[in-house]
């Protein structure tokens, strides 16, 4: 079946019947997606152990194709090689898109299929940058917060905190990261607090961790613009939204700042803005940040290779 005949309905990956596939029982780790095609309904099953795609249809014919990313419609063969980031932001220039794709082509083979985990404070752009990286690398994208919400049947992290507790959320977050750690070729946007548990680092360090380091004032402006209601750790106190957000972010930064620094690569938005001659990190495009992420990943991989060479010599 030609890829062009499929109209993908794939969005965030959903964990189906988690109690039976590994959360609280034997770990199997299957993820289900639906794919609508011209000749009927297809269920695509992803096995987290070997990442083999199998098509199960109401008909006997099997569907065989490769999925390039998990957050948007699967591109046709013709469009896979086109600049990939312009749909993510209208501010992306053609030159920037080409630089991004070329750098992804340089870095991709050296990743050897290892997953990329984006860490950082809430509002740092992990989801936006993660989607861009997944597209240009041909990886699948996951948002760990979304997976936790789906796992427990909630509509938001704030609802989980309110109806259960932060500990309940963190426990399920660790289970999700543990399942993702069994897979390959993923970009994962983690929750802001995922770094506080050592077990989560154990899972994420099986891949490459990238810290998006954003100035607190910029984070507070972003969050204040959309409100703090969806941010359970910020939705408290008095004062205007910006002041409230900045105060809580400063407190969280004191708790987590050193932990974020455990990441394999650091993407400092102030540094990117300086290199590009911009006065405010708010003027950075998500693609510019993604390019820097690839540069820092490339740097880490080179240092890792050099360390391995030295160790081999001795």
């Amino acid at each position: 079946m030609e890829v062009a005949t499929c109209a993908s309905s794939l969005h965030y990956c959903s964990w189906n019947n988690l109690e039976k596939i590994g959360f609280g029982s034997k770990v199997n780790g299957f993820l289900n997606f639906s794919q609508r095609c011209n000749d009927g309904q297809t269920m695509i099953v992803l096995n987290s152990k070997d990442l083999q795609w199998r098509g199960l249809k109401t008909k006997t014919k099997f569907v065989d194709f490769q999925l390039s990313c998990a957050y948007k419609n699967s591109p046709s063969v013709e469009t896979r090689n086109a600049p990939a980031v312009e749909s993510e932001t209208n501010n992306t220039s053609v030159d920037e898109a080409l630089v991004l794709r070329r750098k992804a082509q340089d870095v991709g083979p050296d990743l050897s299929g290892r997953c990329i985990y984006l860490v950082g404070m809430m509002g740092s752009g992990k989801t936006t940058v993660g989607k861009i990286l997944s597209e240009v690398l041909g990886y699948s994208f996951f948002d760990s917060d979304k997976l936790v919400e789906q796992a427990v049947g909630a509509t938001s992290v704030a609802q989980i905190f309110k109806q259960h507790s932060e500990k309940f959320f963190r426990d399920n977050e660790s289970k999700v990261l543990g399942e993702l750690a069994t897979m390959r070729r993923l970009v994962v946007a983690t929750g802001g607090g995922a770094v506080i548990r050592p077990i989560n680092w154990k899972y994420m360090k099986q891949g490459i961790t990238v810290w998006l380091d954003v100035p607190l004032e910029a984070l507070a402006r972003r969050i204040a613009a959309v409100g703090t209601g969806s941010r359970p750790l910020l939705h408290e106190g008095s004062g205007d939204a910006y002041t409230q957000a900045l105060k809580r972010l400063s407190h969280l930064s004191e708790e987590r700042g050193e932990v974020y620094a455990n990441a394999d690569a650091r993407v400092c938005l102030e540094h990117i803005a300086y290199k590009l001659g911009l006065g405010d990190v708010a003027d950075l495009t998500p693609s510019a940040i993604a390019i820097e992420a690839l540069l820092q990943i490339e740097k880490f991989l080179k240092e890792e290779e050099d360390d391995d060479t030295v160790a081999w010599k001795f």
Side-chain angles (χ1 to χ4, degrees):
M1 180 186 66
E2 295 295 328
V3 176
T5 64
C6 289
S8 175
S9 62
L10 184 59
H11 299 292
Y12 288 112
C13 306
S14 86
W15 298 86
N16 235 6
N17 201 357
L18 293 174
E19 304 83 24
K20 296 182 180 180
I21 65 168
F23 287 1
S25 62
K26 182 178 179 181
V27 177
N28 294 318
F30 285 92
L31 303 179
N32 292 344
F33 308 89
S34 64
Q35 185 92 0
R36 289 194 299 272
C37 302
N38 289 347
D39 57 348
Q41 181 73 21
T42 302
M43 180 66 73
I44 305 300
V45 181
L46 170 60
N47 186 328
S48 69
K49 300 304 180 187
D50 56 13
L51 281 185
Q52 291 180 346
W53 292 91
R54 295 177 292 168
L56 304 180
K57 302 184 58 178
T58 54
K59 300 182 180 181
T60 57
K61 179 181 177 183
F62 279 85
V63 177
D64 183 17
F65 66 94
Q66 182 177 2
L67 189 68
S68 65
C69 65
Y71 81 94
K72 62 181 292 182
N73 290 345
S74 297
S76 65
V77 174
E78 291 78 7
T79 59
R80 258 179 214 151
N81 296 322
V85 296
E86 291 184 328
S87 61
E88 187 63 34
T89 170
N90 292 329
N91 296 325
T92 301
S93 68
V94 173
D95 288 344
E96 195 174 67
L98 290 175
V99 170
L100 177 61
R101 182 162 290 281
R102 287 169 181 166
K103 181 51 62 179
Q105 291 172 346
D106 291 340
V107 175
D110 294 331
L111 288 171
S112 301
R114 280 191 288 180
C115 298
I116 295 172
Y117 295 87
L118 300 179
V119 302
M121 295 285 282
M122 62 185 77
S124 59
K126 298 184 293 291
T127 296
T128 301
V129 174
K131 288 177 177 180
I132 296 174
L133 289 174
S134 69
E135 182 169 355
V136 296
L137 290 170
Y139 274 32
S140 297
F141 174 76
F142 290 84
D143 182 316
S144 65
D145 280 354
K146 295 294 183 183
L147 292 177
V148 174
E149 291 168 9
Q150 294 168 8
V152 302
T155 58
S156 68
V157 174
Q159 180 188 3
I160 298 173
F161 272 57
K162 182 178 181 180
Q163 293 185 353
H164 301 281
S165 65
E166 181 177 357
K167 181 181 183 303
F168 178 84
F169 172 81
R170 299 297 174 200
D171 289 344
N172 281 277
E173 180 179 56
S174 294
K175 291 177 182 178
V176 163
L177 291 174
E179 286 286 321
L180 293 175
T182 67
M183 304 181 191
R184 292 170 63 80
R185 300 182 62 82
L186 306 178
V187 176
V188 180
T190 67
V195 296
I196 64 178
R197 286 193 172 186
I199 186 62
N200 294 343
W201 281 106
K202 179 181 177 181
Y203 296 140
M204 293 188 294
K205 283 290 186 174
Q206 296 182 42
I208 297 174
T209 50
V210 180
W211 173 25
L212 299 189
D213 184 9
V214 185
L216 296 182
E217 294 79 5
L219 289 176
R221 288 198 302 268
R222 291 180 186 178
I223 294 171
V226 298
T228 60
S230 62
R231 310 285 185 178
L233 294 182
L234 298 186
H235 194 51
E236 57 183 50
S238 57
D240 64 275
Y242 172 80
T243 302
Q244 179 181 336
L246 182 60
K247 182 177 179 180
R248 285 293 295 149
L249 286 170
S250 298
H251 177 69
L252 291 173
S253 179
E254 291 178 2
E255 293 180 344
R256 303 173 182 173
E258 293 184 0
V259 185
Y260 286 130
N262 290 327
D264 299 314
R266 177 191 178 200
V267 177
C268 177
L269 267 66
E270 287 183 316
H271 176 65
I272 306 172
Y274 175 78
K275 287 198 304 182
L276 297 178
L278 301 175
D280 193 332
V281 298
D283 296 328
L284 291 171
T285 66
S287 294
I289 300 170
I291 291 171
E292 182 68 18
L294 289 172
L295 288 170
Q296 294 304 318
I297 291 171
E298 184 177 47
K299 178 182 177 183
F300 166 74
L301 291 171
K302 181 64 168 60
E303 292 172 349
E304 187 180 54
E305 181 182 2
D306 291 343
D307 290 343
D308 289 343
T309 301
V310 172
W312 180 82
K313 287 181 178 180
F314 287 94

